[in-house]
Amino acid sequence: MKAMIRIGVVILVIFLIGFYNGPSFQENEELENEPFNVDSNENAEIPASEGLTRPKTGVSVYIGGSVESLTSEYGEPERMDPGRNGLTWFIYMVENGYMQAAVKNDEVKALFVMGNAYDSTPYFSGQSVQEIYQFTMINSEIIVEDNGRVYQLELSEQDLHTRLLVQFEDIYAQLMIDSVSNSLMGVYYLDKETLLDQQPYEGSVEGGPLADQDQLILDEVNKANERQMFDIVNFIREKNGLNELIWDDQLAEAARDLSQTREQLSAESPDETSGLSDRLDILDRNYKSAAENTASQYYLTPAVVHGWLNSESHRNTMLDDTFTHTGSGVYGSYYTQDFVQFDEPDLQEEEDLSIQSE
């Protein structure tokens, strides 16, 4: 009898050791975008106010101008990413600066800027909310007129704390605020057409933000958004003194699979998707921990990362200094980013291979 008890104790100890030595997982709840409320009316009276005077300097001056004016100032982009509704995103990345410019028919339609390498006057990354409020006309309602139809964009209390919308005559600035540091993460300048086409506000345009496009083009758009997510998250990690994450194709495959499945099932059937541990079975390396950020109903990659930054659990995952690798997966308006801490021997082997290839 004592022998059986000893055997049972040994088995229990082995089980507990295996349990506590196994990888840990963190699956955060899906963050769903909450668009601004919109009312639209035909032939409504348009208020006389046109907002603030349009800036005379900084990147916003290029909106409405030719793509040649942009490249003559900043040079050729690091890459050009396909975007929705005929947009092409010019991606610029330098030390302490990230910028993506939306171009359509050789015209600059929008610009998103992080960091201080690019002049985003009158705003700049890291600027305090208190300073922004000192010189900015803040309205909870923005009126936009388009082809005889008037749209009234209503900002909620949460919007006024995290994503302000400011009108500068014929362009707009969306201020993406980090509510933890109470400072500006980045600024997104855009013209009226892009404001309505990208539909960050509920019910703004008939047909929604996904225009009829060839599936092959949409696949390329998804891949471009995946790369943008990777770049932006790493930029934010660097600004917070954290290590740069390494891209992993297998993690991207797992993330992409979830985004596609979620889009097909819709948000009403979240329980039908497999767990993170199951989807990471495709990894051919051992790992100590893994986590996952997801989002839905977003149509702009910087807005996804901004949303995660303002959610405690998603932020903690994105800024966890133990993670070493990541992979992003985008399908339509569904976004997933997986994070993993690989075992040390695997990391050393990867570094050795990298040195040999140089």
Side-chain angles (χ1 to χ4, degrees):
M1 183 65 178
K2 291 183 178 179
M4 292 296 294
I5 293 176
R6 291 193 186 98
I7 293 172
V9 170
V10 171
I11 293 174
L12 179 61
V13 170
I14 293 174
F15 171 78
L16 291 176
I17 291 174
F19 177 79
Y20 286 110
N21 284 343
S24 62
F25 298 92
Q26 173 67 42
E27 295 180 69
N28 299 315
E29 287 189 17
E30 183 174 275
L31 183 68
E32 184 174 352
N33 188 26
E34 297 181 1
F36 295 162
N37 183 47
V38 173
D39 289 326
S40 63
N41 297 284
E42 290 184 333
N43 304 317
E45 183 178 350
I46 305 173
S49 175
E50 295 183 346
L52 300 173
T53 302
R54 184 168 174 171
K56 299 296 190 295
T57 60
V59 297
S60 67
V61 303
Y62 296 99
I63 294 181
S66 67
V67 66
E68 289 79 12
S69 65
L70 180 74
T71 55
S72 64
E73 175 66 24
Y74 298 106
E76 294 299 320
E78 180 163 320
R79 67 177 190 272
M80 291 186 287
D81 290 347
R84 293 181 175 85
N85 296 339
L87 293 177
T88 298
W89 289 100
F90 283 41
I91 308 298
Y92 292 88
M93 292 187 292
V94 297
E95 184 177 357
N96 196 32
Y98 176 91
M99 179 170 68
Q100 55 181 78
V103 175
K104 185 176 183 179
N105 298 327
D106 292 325
E107 179 184 345
V108 179
K109 307 290 289 181
L111 288 148
F112 171 72
V113 179
M114 289 191 304
N116 297 321
Y118 300 107
D119 181 6
S120 54
T121 300
Y123 306 108
F124 59 87
S125 292
Q127 190 173 23
S128 70
V129 173
Q130 291 80 2
E131 182 177 345
I132 291 173
Y133 269 85
Q134 286 177 2
F135 69 87
T136 301
M137 182 186 302
I138 304 298
N139 293 315
S140 60
E141 297 180 355
I142 302 292
I143 305 298
V144 182
E145 187 275 332
D146 183 58
N147 294 324
R149 197 173 191 88
V150 177
Y151 299 89
Q152 180 175 301
L153 312 181
E154 298 180 3
L155 281 66
S156 67
E157 187 69 24
Q158 179 68 16
D159 295 329
L160 293 172
H161 286 89
T162 60
R163 53 173 186 173
L164 297 172
L165 185 66
V166 182
Q167 182 180 3
F168 290 91
E169 297 177 357
D170 60 337
I171 67 171
Y172 301 83
Q174 188 174 18
L175 308 183
M176 298 185 184
I177 296 169
D178 178 351
S179 61
V180 174
S181 64
N182 281 321
S183 62
L184 191 62
M185 179 197 100
V187 56
Y188 182 42
Y189 289 106
L190 61 169
D191 64 11
K192 177 173 58 178
E193 179 185 0
T194 308
L195 175 70
L196 297 176
D197 280 351
Q198 292 193 347
Q199 201 176 2
Y201 321 103
E202 185 176 7
S204 55
V205 180
E206 293 182 3
L210 287 176
D212 291 334
Q213 290 179 291
D214 183 84
Q215 185 59 48
L216 181 61
I217 296 176
L218 293 178
D219 288 343
E220 292 301 315
V221 171
N222 290 335
K223 291 179 181 179
N225 288 334
E226 292 171 1
R227 182 67 189 186
Q228 292 168 19
M229 188 190 307
F230 172 75
D231 291 335
I232 295 172
V233 167
N234 262 338
F235 184 88
I236 293 175
R237 285 176 65 90
E238 181 184 2
K239 295 296 291 182
N240 283 271
L242 302 175
N243 60 297
E244 180 179 344
L245 296 172
I246 301 170
W247 178 269
D248 185 273
D249 287 334
Q250 291 181 321
L251 285 175
E253 182 181 344
R256 198 173 295 124
D257 177 69
L258 179 63
S259 289
Q260 183 170 358
T261 302
R262 294 290 292 111
E263 195 276 341
Q264 293 170 346
L265 292 175
S266 82
E268 298 177 358
S269 308
D271 294 335
E272 295 185 29
T273 59
S274 59
L276 178 59
S277 61
D278 294 330
R279 284 182 286 103
L280 293 188
D281 281 344
I282 64 174
L283 296 180
D284 54 14
R285 288 186 284 177
N286 296 324
Y287 58 95
K288 294 182 178 179
S289 61
E292 185 170 73
N293 280 344
T294 56
S296 64
Q297 306 309 310
Y298 280 90
Y299 303 100
L300 181 70
T301 306
V304 176
V305 180
H306 172 250
W308 286 339
L309 197 65
N310 283 287
S311 167
E312 183 178 5
S313 59
H314 297 84
R315 180 191 185 94
N316 290 341
T317 292
M318 187 167 62
L319 300 182
D320 190 324
D321 62 356
T322 63
F323 292 128
T324 58
H325 291 67
T326 190
S328 307
V330 178
Y331 196 86
S333 65
Y334 288 80
Y335 291 71
T336 303
Q337 186 166 19
D338 288 338
F339 302 80
V340 159
Q341 178 190 11
F342 282 117
D343 287 346
E344 291 299 329
D346 294 314
L347 290 176
Q348 185 60 52
E349 181 179 346
E350 184 174 291
E351 291 177 3
D352 293 340
L353 291 173
S354 177
I355 293 174
Q356 293 174 12
S357 65
E358 293 179 355

